[in-house]
Amino acid sequence: MAVFRQVYIWMSLALFITGITALIVANNNSLIYSLMSNQLLFWGLIIGEVVMVAVLAARIHKLSLATATVMFIAYSIINGVTMSLLFLLYTSESIASTFFITAGTFGAISAYGYFTKKDLSSLGSILIMALIGILIASLVNIFLESSTLYWIISYVGVAIFVGLTAYDTQKIKESIMNSDVNETAYKIALMGALELYLDFINLFIYLLRIFGDRD
């Protein structure tokens, strides 16, 4: 399906942009120093990411395809800037190996979500509630600093985003199949690319917490 292929093309492009941006920033001492020393800048970027995702989700059908695409690319760049800090925490080798583990896991689970005849819609609300749960647990653990809770959150996070990858893939496929091949269908594909991109990035981060070697 031509429109569905666009989901993976846009997602792959966004991942490439994020990776290149993260590498460039990580290898620029002045940029890294600015990011680490300026809390206002760092949290401004984080808030900006959240706002961009919220705007795309709420107004995707009102935005032109060109505007939505530019916002998607801008988001992938900003996310690359914030993710550059991972290169300060983990070795380049473990980041690379975890990326390939993530890619293999993501590919297999996404294929399952696409080809399975089982209705995965009931998983959606359960996974979202579980996601809210680990976000709250993560905030609490900032103060508790519990290594046990850290590892529980990491493994549960992997399970949640594995499930969301399958669920989102099936949901995107069905949404595109129920749409005419027009700009609306391509907007759905772009939004689907963003959803799968977020699934991939979060799966990668949680797997990195498990498999990554600290620098």
Side-chain angles (χ1 to χ4, degrees):
M1 187 188 300
V3 178
F4 192 81
R5 281 198 296 271
Q6 293 297 315
V7 174
Y8 291 101
I9 291 172
W10 276 324
M11 188 197 89
S12 299
L13 175 62
L15 288 172
F16 176 77
I17 292 171
T18 296
I20 291 298
T21 303
L23 277 172
I24 292 172
V25 175
N27 286 286
N28 187 306
N29 291 333
S30 62
L31 288 176
I32 281 291
Y33 178 78
S34 297
L35 199 58
M36 293 185 65
S37 62
N38 191 331
Q39 290 293 308
L40 185 61
L41 172 62
F42 177 77
W43 287 108
L45 290 172
I46 296 294
I47 293 170
E49 289 183 83
V50 174
V51 170
M52 290 179 75
V53 170
V55 170
L56 279 170
R59 300 184 60 83
I60 186 66
H61 293 297
K62 294 182 180 179
L63 296 171
S64 68
L65 181 59
T67 300
T69 303
V70 169
M71 288 182 67
F72 181 38
I73 292 172
Y75 175 82
S76 66
I77 293 172
I78 295 173
N79 200 35
V81 173
T82 57
M83 289 189 67
S84 65
L85 296 178
L86 292 176
F87 285 90
L88 302 182
L89 297 175
Y90 299 96
T91 64
S92 298
E93 292 78 9
S94 66
I95 289 174
S97 62
T98 304
F99 177 84
F100 287 113
I101 292 171
T102 306
T105 304
F106 178 91
I109 298 302
S110 188
Y112 170 78
Y114 184 89
F115 290 108
T116 186
K117 301 300 182 182
K118 184 178 180 179
D119 184 7
L120 303 177
S121 57
S122 60
L123 278 178
S125 57
I126 297 172
L127 291 169
I128 294 301
M129 287 189 291
L131 178 58
I132 294 171
I134 65 164
L135 289 176
I136 294 172
S138 297
L139 290 174
V140 170
N141 204 38
I142 292 175
F143 303 99
L144 294 179
E145 297 183 348
S146 167
S147 60
T148 301
L149 185 55
Y150 173 90
W151 289 111
I152 291 172
I153 291 170
S154 299
Y155 283 102
V156 172
V158 169
I160 288 172
F161 283 101
V162 163
L164 282 173
T165 297
Y167 166 76
D168 285 337
T169 300
Q170 186 179 81
K171 182 186 68 175
I172 295 162
K173 174 188 173 183
E174 292 175 352
S175 296
I176 292 174
M177 288 179 63
N178 293 327
S179 300
D180 295 327
V181 181
N182 52 28
E183 184 171 294
T184 298
Y186 282 98
K187 287 180 181 179
I188 293 172
L190 182 65
M191 198 63 208
L194 176 60
E195 291 175 349
L196 292 182
Y197 167 87
L198 290 172
D199 291 339
F200 187 102
I201 290 293
N202 283 284
L203 180 60
F204 169 73
I205 290 172
Y206 282 112
L207 285 172
L208 190 60
R209 288 170 58 149
I210 296 170
F211 296 112
D213 294 323
R214 293 277 176 167
D215 203 347

